[in-house]
Amino acid sequence: MTFDLVLVGFGHVAQRFVTLLDETRETLARDFDVSTRVVAVTTHRHGRAYAAGGVAPQALVECHRRGEAIGRDDLDLSTSDFIRASADRGGAAKEGHLVVVETTTLDIAKGQPAIDHVRAALASGAHVITANKGPAAFAYHALAGAAADAGRRFLFEGAVMDGIPIFNLVRETLPAVRIDGFRGVVNSTTNYMLTAMEGGQTFDRALAEMQAAGIAEADASLDTDGWDAAAKTAALANVMLDARLTPHDVDRQGITAATGPQAVAARRAGRRLKLVAAAARQNGRVAARVAPEELPADDLLARLEGQQNAIVLRTDLVGEVAIVQRGSGLTQTAYALLSDLVAIAREISARSDARRARV
Amino acid sequence: MTFDLVLVGFGHVAQRFVTLLDETRETLARDFDVSTRVVAVTTHRHGRAYAAGGVAPQALVECHRRGEAIGRDDLDLSTSDFIRASADRGGAAKEGHLVVVETTTLDIAKGQPAIDHVRAALASGAHVITANKGPAAFAYHALAGAAADAGRRFLFEGAVMDGIPIFNLVRETLPAVRIDGFRGVVNSTTNYMLTAMEGGQTFDRALAEMQAAGIAEADASLDTDGWDAAAKTAALANVMLDARLTPHDVDRQGITAATGPQAVAARRAGRRLKLVAAAARQNGRVAARVAPEELPADDLLARLEGQQNAIVLRTDLVGEVAIVQRGSGLTQTAYALLSDLVAIAREISARSDARRARV
């Protein structure tokens, strides 16, 4: 089947996503009968493009690199209206073959405007895949409900662990298992910084390095104040523990210049200071927190260096299961979007078997 | 849907499987529309039972515990013939609702008679789920082909990592990803023994402890000579790397009394000696090995204690991904069988949507 894609946001992740689609074209066609074309792109500062027959993604990437606007279509519409208009134009939405790819940046105040984008897309008959933490962190249950009502999917595998299929893992491979809680290291910037600070590096210097490497968020306080980790924690808790949290409900402590000496002292004592994200059911509610924790050296989380992330799930039937991502980056996040797309294709393919049989 | 189960082998794993089915009955019914009844059981030394309406699993467990035969039905038949006869008796095989649960012990010479059991079951219209390493380690491609021809499933999630869904993880959650290789610690007995020997324990004493704890294989040389790890390595390589290996093709070195001093020396040097199982594509073929390796302390595999197992996958698109099982035991292995059963139910349910639509 051919998916028509509407790209909402066209930063590094979306650009890598379209080049990855190109690189994996043969595999997607052969193994999953999936092909794609980008019919619309909307950006914050680089214009908009719509083309029913598909736009050439590589040309868009080049254009964006040169700093030129990718197009000037429908600039008078709000982004949500542009999503609706794009969905109305072709027949793909009606057939369930339209996918909105949401990759705008996280707004930690309310998760907007991404949540509105997701709502507009679902209401227009599009599936949504997103690497944005906001929608699942602020409005998971409402959006999952809207998706179910619309008969469409709302997937966000890239929101927490880049390419590591943490949500898919629980949904597809641990049936009948109850998740009782989790703990993990989920923010690369602070993990790098803590390692550097253990070695005597200053907070400012360590942060500057992460910014120079393009790993820190554009607004680095989202990393250092623990907001990124809190958003991921809320998303995980909402999905896995059936919680109703926003990032503001997560008991949150970030890292500061004062954290440096603590990290040095921990290391001297044979321990490691890590920014740990955790949530668990407690007295009928879900308690979630993000804070620096001194961990014994043999704790799995203590051994994570740099961009390595991990989540340890506590379950009723299989005890503790940990999944560790030993490298992260753009390709991994773009892959998460690709794996969401394949998940949608697999479901459609099961349903269309049913539809074909009915005819 | 109701699955009729034929239990081939009724040792600890099969017994825990039936009690686990009982414990999770409500969840299975509610979330997956699955119920089960055991229609036949065949054992090596404790007799056989067949009952079209289902036998009471708890009664069988009690009976087995008292050392009594569970029944005297069809004792003249070979096990494969008993499987065929059980499949012919009810209507479940024809409907695709018969599941043979193979849990006999591993024969490292040829993987038999488990392979014959799997073939007989598939040819009779039954699905097969197994915690036995033999079939996937010796005959994965042939049996997967037989299953495809029969329109049935051959699943073995419990063969390598107990409850950890390693095969399901790759199949369901990493679409379009190529696995280039893996390394792991997959045998609990030797992992325990190496830790004990690091602390100065003798080989014989460490082994005796594992036997007393019921963790070592009945024939402990399967553990210490590396055969168990080699069988798991072959199964993983056959499935993930499309290899055609048997455990005898795995370059294999186990642990001996002489390994003790090496483990002590490694620990003194701040390193750990682990029995590492690994395979990778190399010059167009798959090379696989099992051997004690001295690992740096910060290697994820170096930190595994006791019954903790882990596999690190090397992939093209998402870099290295590790899955760590922090506890293993009977419940986990039994859960693996249960997760295989749910996988079958999910597929049938997708297909029967199609069938219902056709009517």
Tab-separated table of all heavy atoms in Angstrom, chain A residues 10 30 39 164 176-177 241 270 286 310:
chain	number	residue	atom	x	y	z
A	10	PHE	N	9.776	20.116	9.930
A	10	PHE	CA	10.737	19.545	8.978
A	10	PHE	C	12.157	19.857	9.453
A	10	PHE	O	12.999	20.361	8.718
A	10	PHE	CB	10.484	20.103	7.562
A	10	PHE	CG	11.144	19.299	6.475
A	10	PHE	CD1	10.823	17.957	6.293
A	10	PHE	CD2	12.096	19.884	5.639
A	10	PHE	CE1	11.435	17.221	5.293
A	10	PHE	CE2	12.708	19.146	4.633
A	10	PHE	CZ	12.378	17.818	4.463
A	30	ARG	N	9.387	-4.877	-0.132
A	30	ARG	CA	9.476	-6.337	-0.191
A	30	ARG	C	8.853	-6.979	1.048
A	30	ARG	O	8.049	-7.906	0.952
A	30	ARG	CB	10.947	-6.752	-0.298
A	30	ARG	CG	11.159	-8.248	-0.499
A	30	ARG	CD	12.631	-8.593	-0.351
A	30	ARG	NE	13.109	-8.216	0.976
A	30	ARG	CZ	14.257	-7.584	1.210
A	30	ARG	NH1	15.057	-7.249	0.222
A	30	ARG	NH2	14.617	-7.289	2.456
A	39	VAL	N	3.144	14.184	0.584
A	39	VAL	CA	2.234	15.058	-0.170
A	39	VAL	C	2.184	16.476	0.391
A	39	VAL	O	1.747	17.397	-0.306
A	39	VAL	CB	0.796	14.490	-0.228
A	39	VAL	CG1	0.788	13.160	-0.984
A	39	VAL	CG2	0.201	14.332	1.161
A	164	ILE	N	14.552	2.551	20.195
A	164	ILE	CA	14.247	1.372	20.982
A	164	ILE	C	12.748	1.244	21.163
A	164	ILE	O	12.090	2.164	21.634
A	164	ILE	CB	14.910	1.459	22.369
A	164	ILE	CG1	16.410	1.476	22.207
A	164	ILE	CG2	14.470	0.294	23.243
A	164	ILE	CD1	16.967	0.229	21.610
A	176	ALA	N	-0.399	-10.056	28.746
A	176	ALA	CA	-0.877	-10.566	30.038
A	176	ALA	C	0.064	-10.240	31.196
A	176	ALA	O	-0.148	-10.680	32.312
A	176	ALA	CB	-1.148	-12.081	29.993
A	177	VAL	N	1.095	-9.449	30.908
A	177	VAL	CA	2.011	-9.037	31.973
A	177	VAL	C	1.568	-7.686	32.511
A	177	VAL	O	1.222	-6.794	31.748
A	177	VAL	CB	3.460	-8.946	31.427
A	177	VAL	CG1	4.336	-8.111	32.341
A	177	VAL	CG2	4.034	-10.339	31.246
A	241	LEU	N	1.395	2.365	32.994
A	241	LEU	CA	0.802	2.239	34.325
A	241	LEU	C	-0.606	2.828	34.347
A	241	LEU	O	-1.193	3.006	35.408
A	241	LEU	CB	1.689	2.948	35.360
A	241	LEU	CG	3.136	2.453	35.449
A	241	LEU	CD1	3.944	3.332	36.406
A	241	LEU	CD2	3.172	0.995	35.919
A	270	GLY	N	33.021	4.863	44.897
A	270	GLY	CA	32.725	3.682	44.086
A	270	GLY	C	31.285	3.622	43.621
A	270	GLY	O	30.779	2.561	43.260
A	286	VAL	N	-0.307	6.556	40.927
A	286	VAL	CA	1.023	6.404	40.350
A	286	VAL	C	1.889	7.578	40.792
A	286	VAL	O	1.540	8.736	40.585
A	286	VAL	CB	0.950	6.355	38.817
A	286	VAL	CG1	2.346	6.375	38.215
A	286	VAL	CG2	0.189	5.106	38.364
A	310	ALA	N	18.514	3.502	29.239
A	310	ALA	CA	17.964	2.197	29.604
A	310	ALA	C	16.699	2.377	30.423
A	310	ALA	O	16.527	3.380	31.121
A	310	ALA	CB	18.969	1.376	30.408
